[in-house]
Amino acid sequence: MTMAAALVLSASSAKAQEIYTGSDPVGTISYALPQTVISLEVEAVKEDFHAGPYAKFAKKYLGIDVRQEDETSCTVSAVKMAPYAEADQSRRYSFTPGKAQTTFLALTNQGLVSFGGARNAETQWRFSTESKGDFSDRGVSSNLTSESATLYKNVRNESGYNTVAVQQQMVVEKSLETRAKEAAETIFNLREKKMDIVTGDTDATYSGEAMAAAIEEINRLEKEYMSLFIGYSDIQVQQMNYDVVPSADTKSQRYVAFRVSDEEGLVASDNVSGKPYLLELTAEKVSDAQQGGAKPAAVKVAYYRIPAICSVRLTDGVNILLQSRVPVYQLGVESSIPVQ
């Protein structure tokens, strides 16, 4: 009974081993030539600037020039570049292994590739929704003021009607310039108080932690009031990964690696709304291999690639952001080795 079960199992295993669902011929070694992928890890900083409500009065009351309009801009802050080798599916070969199998496999590190793994895709995110400036909680002066208004009314007396002036207090909204002037005066007052505390020219006595706390609070208030004139910025950081696969068919060897849009941040290379960043490759000259002796007889061969050493530059069209030397397989030389 046990022997019968073992025979059935053995037969099943043998049958399972005969099942082949691959596309390559059975009993052959299949491989692909390598190609180089230049991976860029890009970090950008997006600034949403909100102009202060009193910006146009900054020169008059504070003597400083400030930005007058809301602006959105995005700049590249950091770039990392790394070359990766992956299988070039347009250059796949197979052969039946023979005596040269060991030699062939030993050349794997020099140019032969037969792996199918790939790097995991990384999560990409975009900037959040558009932000708007909020100065509602800054400043302590009132938005209202009291003005005297002269009204006239008719008063009846024995001789008839006479016009009499009547003084009346009215609460009205302050003008923008009035509020800017008061804010500027508060800033100078804060600076004077800070100077008095530091020099000891004050009725109160500050020392040690008390002085530090008082100065810190005055600095906070001054910064808050100054923002009403100079505005403030919301800063967001974005990171994206881009891959550039050089092609031997591209004559100029210049590629748009990615683009930067003030509104959208880092975008794909085909998004024409952004400013292009160019990856330029210059391959070093490769000399032909020298051959000696008689020509070898026709034999079965396996192919491999010797990479070209390229100078790689990343530019914004004017300035060089990054420069390095990288081996690029698909721009190099394709050669062969006998396998039988």
Side-chain angles (χ1 to χ4, degrees):
M1 184 72 176
T2 304
M3 183 177 295
L7 290 174
V8 171
L9 180 60
S10 176
S12 300
S13 300
K15 185 176 181 181
Q17 290 175 357
E18 292 175 1
I19 298 175
Y20 177 68
T21 59
S23 58
D24 295 328
V26 176
T28 63
I29 292 179
S30 178
Y31 66 96
L33 298 186
Q35 67 178 1
T36 300
V37 178
I38 299 176
S39 179
L40 297 171
E41 182 181 321
V42 186
E43 180 183 276
V45 175
K46 182 184 177 186
E47 178 190 19
D48 289 308
F49 173 73
H50 309 286
Y54 306 155
K56 64 180 180 179
F57 303 110
K59 184 69 173 178
K60 181 177 180 179
Y61 292 114
L62 297 177
I64 58 176
D65 293 316
V66 300
R67 296 156 74 177
Q68 301 289 323
E69 303 291 337
D70 291 351
E71 295 177 350
T72 298
S73 62
C74 185
T75 56
V76 174
S77 58
V79 180
K80 293 181 181 179
M81 180 177 70
Y84 292 92
E86 65 181 22
D88 185 350
Q89 296 298 334
S90 66
R91 290 291 188 274
R92 289 189 70 246
Y93 302 97
S94 64
F95 70 94
T96 303
K99 296 179 181 179
Q101 177 180 355
T102 304
T103 304
F104 170 76
L105 294 177
L107 285 173
T108 299
N109 290 333
Q110 300 180 30
L112 294 173
V113 180
S114 61
F115 61 82
R119 287 175 291 131
N120 295 328
E122 297 194 13
T123 303
Q124 300 175 351
W125 59 275
R126 299 251 176 227
F127 293 120
S128 59
T129 56
E130 180 182 0
S131 61
K132 296 182 179 180
D134 182 11
F135 297 89
S136 60
D137 59 346
R138 308 191 181 193
V140 295
S141 59
S142 172
N143 191 40
L144 303 177
T145 186
S146 177
E147 292 184 354
S148 296
T150 302
L151 303 179
Y152 296 90
K153 68 178 181 178
N154 292 325
V155 179
R156 183 175 181 179
N157 54 27
E158 294 179 356
S159 61
Y161 288 92
N162 290 328
T163 301
V164 178
V166 178
Q167 292 290 330
Q168 182 173 340
Q169 291 294 114
M170 300 178 61
V171 177
V172 296
E173 182 180 0
K174 294 178 183 177
S175 67
L176 187 65
E177 183 171 0
T178 299
R179 283 180 280 159
K181 182 181 178 181
E182 291 179 353
E185 291 173 350
T186 302
I187 290 172
F188 289 119
N189 288 334
L190 288 169
R191 292 176 180 176
E192 289 178 4
K193 289 183 182 296
K194 182 165 58 175
M195 180 63 70
D196 291 341
I197 293 174
V198 172
T199 59
D201 187 14
T202 176
D203 294 336
T205 302
Y206 295 91
S207 63
E209 294 182 1
M211 177 180 288
I215 296 298
E216 183 180 354
E217 179 62 16
I218 291 175
N219 288 336
R220 185 192 67 80
L221 290 172
E222 181 183 346
K223 182 178 179 181
E224 182 176 296
Y225 273 96
M226 283 295 295
S227 70
L228 296 171
F229 292 91
I230 66 176
Y232 71 94
S233 296
D234 288 326
I235 301 297
Q236 299 179 67
V237 178
Q238 181 188 29
Q239 290 183 336
M240 299 280 278
N241 290 337
Y242 299 93
D243 288 339
V244 177
V245 184
S247 172
D249 298 331
T250 302
K251 186 176 181 180
S252 65
Q253 290 304 318
R254 176 181 291 187
Y255 305 88
V256 178
F258 59 92
R259 293 178 184 264
V260 177
S261 166
D262 285 338
E263 297 296 331
E264 300 180 49
L266 294 169
V267 295
S269 59
D270 57 355
N271 189 332
V272 295
S273 66
K275 174 185 176 182
Y277 282 71
L278 305 176
L279 193 71
E280 303 174 359
L281 287 81
T282 304
E284 297 180 0
K285 186 177 180 181
V286 180
S287 60
D288 294 333
Q290 307 210 354
Q291 297 183 0
K295 260 191 169 182
V299 294
K300 292 184 179 181
V301 297
Y303 300 98
Y304 65 96
R305 277 175 172 168
I306 302 173
I309 305 302
C310 298
S311 296
V312 182
R313 299 192 310 170
L314 180 68
T315 72
D316 60 3
V318 178
N319 303 306
I320 299 177
L321 279 69
L322 186 149
Q323 185 168 338
S324 184
R325 295 175 74 247
V326 173
V328 181
Y329 281 98
Q330 58 269 38
L331 301 184
V333 176
E334 188 169 314
S335 191
S336 61
I337 182 175
V339 293
Q340 283 184 344

